[in-house]
Amino acid sequence: MLLAVVALGSACGGEESVIPFLDGPLTVEVRYPTGEAVGSTDSIATWGTVGTGRATLLINGAEVTVEPNGTFATFVPRPDGPGAALVFEARRGSDTLRRSVPVPVRSGRRAPQPVVRSADRWILVHRPPSDTVDSATQARPVFSRWTPGGDLALPLTQGLRLRVAAETDDAVRLALAPGWAVWIPSEEAPPAPAPVAPRRIARVALSEGRLGWSVDAFADEQLASHVDVDGERVRWTLFGAGATVANPAPRGPIQSARVRDGRDGRVVVELRLAAPPLAWRVVWRDGAMRLELRDRPRGIEGLVVALDPGHPPLGTVGPGGLREDSVTLAVARVAAERLERLGARVVLTRQDERPVSIDQRLAIAEAANAHVFLSIHLNSPGEGRPPESVDGTRGFWLDPSQFDLAVALRDSVAAAMGQVPVATVQSNLAVLRATWFRSVLVEATALVLPAREAYLRTEAGVAAYADGLVRGLVAWSGGPLP
């Protein structure tokens, strides 16, 4: 096997990106498409390897570029008609190998609109037992939707008793208050008796805890609620109850607190803080709905960081076979060592190649009382997009409080890896929904591009990604850069 190094023009980490020259056995390994149904698009991305830089490759009769190590990544016309397939033909000298990968079109037929019927009964939010999920997934809140099968709405803690105002064959609409109605699956809404009396909030009090300050709303039972944070102002809405209580006196960083009964099934607690909170959560504890608020720490020393090496399950595989989950774990280990040397405390959401559910990852971070949850990923294109479209660095956030951290990490990772800081994207990704810590997801670069994959196979590529994460966290925390 002949091995040499060929330098390419694009830069990564301040150095030229290199793809090794490889003269191995002729093969046709297609990483994508996989043969599963895809959306109806004019063109489709494809990547994989033919095993040697001495080969040529034709896809449906058109020659495409083969890199020095035999990998390829390209965007080709998608064939039409029944039995549509991409035909790969690799040639080296007198040797020829062919492989056909079907590209069936996913059905575009929409499900019929559900028939909505009126209803009036009470249910208890509860997830049915399942032996196909872990305990963290089983215990998670039920995420409601604004319409049946539509966009995600409020998380509803299991054990909530709520009134059903309408239903379809497989979902129920829960009336929280005028203008606030959400849907959950019928299987997660077993029947419950109606409350014997209107629910009331008896008292609202402020208290100091181990990790920050809390607002306790003492109630007859657990209530659905929603928290909206705008800088130093916090608006906590509790549904399904009334209240006639005094405003609690200011304490600590809570400069003012006002309790207002909307007379429409909503009680609103409005807070003004000395500074924006780092994070928050609502729990039912000791007969009270408790809003817990955390202060933002300053400096990297003492910061608790949850590093989340993205995948498995799933994940991208580069053209030469490099797995996203192996790279992200390597990056997390290097970043953890560097952060700990700076005085941070680090927890990894996985330690090896075994799959870990998203819910278990978030549970690990919450158990550690992490200040920051950082999910580490590499990018691949969606349907109908060329491989080059996902080059560059992106940061993903959901709540506006996460935006500044997403920008800091996007810019620092891009600088460390010689990438373009492409975008900072608001996205309702599952790993970004927790509010007890700042959650951000970073896509450092496109693993599907041969030059990027080759760089990430090296210690220098892994170290550059890790260095970008560390520098971004230090900059965001207000500490001096290492």
Side-chain angles (χ1 to χ4, degrees):
M1 185 180 293
L2 180 64
L3 189 67
V5 172
V6 177
L8 300 183
S10 61
C12 279
E15 300 178 357
E16 283 190 326
S17 177
V18 295
I19 296 181
F21 180 82
L22 176 66
D23 189 14
L26 186 67
T27 185
V28 179
E29 297 181 21
V30 181
R31 312 297 181 193
Y32 187 87
T34 63
E36 296 182 357
V38 298
S40 179
T41 59
D42 292 334
S43 300
I44 187 169
T46 181
W47 60 91
T49 181
V50 294
T52 171
R54 297 191 185 280
T56 58
L57 174 65
L58 287 81
I59 301 178
N60 285 5
E63 186 171 350
V64 300
T65 300
V66 173
E67 301 294 347
N69 63 353
T71 58
F72 63 90
T74 189
F75 196 51
V76 297
R78 187 193 171 283
D80 294 325
L86 294 182
V87 179
F88 299 80
E89 183 176 298
R91 302 172 180 171
R92 182 182 58 184
S94 60
D95 295 334
T96 300
L97 287 178
R98 292 183 181 86
R99 182 179 176 187
S100 178
V101 178
V103 283
V105 176
R106 186 184 305 114
S107 172
R109 290 177 295 180
R110 294 184 177 181
Q113 288 292 319
V115 176
V116 179
R117 305 180 297 272
S118 62
D120 187 7
R121 64 179 187 276
W122 289 79
I123 59 91
L124 193 72
V125 178
H126 177 70
R127 189 180 306 285
S130 170
D131 56 8
T132 62
V133 296
D134 56 32
S135 59
T137 301
Q138 189 70 55
R140 79 182 189 270
V142 171
F143 267 90
S144 61
R145 297 179 182 273
W146 295 117
T147 58
D151 292 338
L152 290 173
L154 308 181
L156 301 176
T157 307
Q158 295 189 60
L160 285 172
R161 181 164 47 169
L162 299 170
R163 187 174 68 84
V164 174
E167 63 184 350
T168 66
D169 288 342
D170 53 11
V172 296
R173 187 176 73 193
L174 305 173
L176 304 180
W180 289 83
V182 296
W183 292 80
I184 63 172
S186 299
E187 64 178 4
E188 295 174 338
V196 296
R199 292 175 291 190
R200 304 290 298 174
I201 293 173
R203 181 167 60 93
V204 175
L206 311 182
S207 61
E208 185 177 8
R210 184 172 62 88
L211 298 175
W213 285 79
S214 300
V215 183
D216 288 331
F218 292 88
D220 305 303
E221 63 177 281
Q222 185 178 188
L223 303 171
S225 73
H226 173 67
V227 180
D228 182 58
V229 177
D230 182 10
E232 296 85 2
R233 297 188 178 276
V234 178
R235 180 185 175 94
W236 183 26
T237 303
L238 298 111
F239 298 101
T244 307
V245 299
N247 296 328
R251 290 190 63 185
I254 303 178
Q255 297 181 339
S256 68
R258 178 173 175 244
V259 183
R260 180 168 53 85
D261 188 340
R263 308 294 181 182
D264 60 358
R266 289 181 294 177
V267 174
V268 179
V269 181
E270 297 174 334
L271 307 172
R272 183 165 56 85
L273 310 180
L278 169 81
W280 57 91
R281 67 181 173 190
V282 177
V283 297
W284 169 248
R285 186 170 298 159
D286 300 328
M289 293 295 298
R290 176 172 293 175
L291 171 61
E292 299 179 335
L293 301 163
R294 301 178 70 183
D295 294 333
R296 174 172 170 171
R298 295 297 174 185
I300 198 71
E301 189 169 356
L303 193 73
V304 183
V305 181
L307 294 179
D308 176 45
H311 309 289
L314 305 178
T316 298
V317 180
L322 183 62
R323 297 181 60 87
E324 180 180 5
D325 58 357
S326 67
V327 179
T328 58
L329 182 56
V331 170
R333 286 171 172 165
V334 174
E337 181 181 353
R338 295 183 181 181
L339 286 167
E340 287 172 345
R341 286 204 302 264
L342 295 172
R345 183 164 71 85
V346 180
V347 57
L348 267 61
T349 61
R350 67 177 175 94
Q351 304 288 340
D352 51 39
E353 71 282 357
R354 288 175 291 184
V356 180
S357 73
I358 290 174
D359 299 289
Q360 184 61 37
R361 294 167 191 259
L362 296 174
I364 290 169
E366 182 152 345
N369 284 313
H371 297 106
V372 172
F373 179 93
L374 175 54
S375 198
I376 305 166
H377 289 259
L378 297 163
N379 219 343
S380 62
E383 293 177 354
R385 300 181 62 190
E388 293 82 1
S389 67
V390 292
D391 202 13
T393 303
R394 293 164 173 81
F396 292 80
W397 56 282
L398 177 57
D399 188 87
S401 67
Q402 302 164 346
F403 180 75
D404 57 348
L405 178 58
V407 171
L409 289 165
R410 178 204 64 184
D411 292 348
S412 60
V413 170
M417 298 190 70
Q419 294 282 277
V420 175
V422 176
T424 311
V425 183
Q426 186 176 27
S427 179
N428 197 354
L429 298 170
V431 293
L432 302 180
R433 294 174 193 156
T435 58
W436 191 231
F437 32 75
R438 294 284 175 92
S439 302
V440 170
L441 184 146
V442 176
E443 298 270 14
T445 189
L447 181 61
V448 300
L449 295 177
R452 306 307 184 210
E453 181 190 37
Y455 185 54
L456 289 164
R457 284 189 184 277
T458 67
E459 289 185 8
V462 169
Y465 194 169
D467 184 61
L469 296 176
V470 172
R471 288 178 173 271
L473 284 171
V474 171
W476 171 80
S477 69
L481 291 175

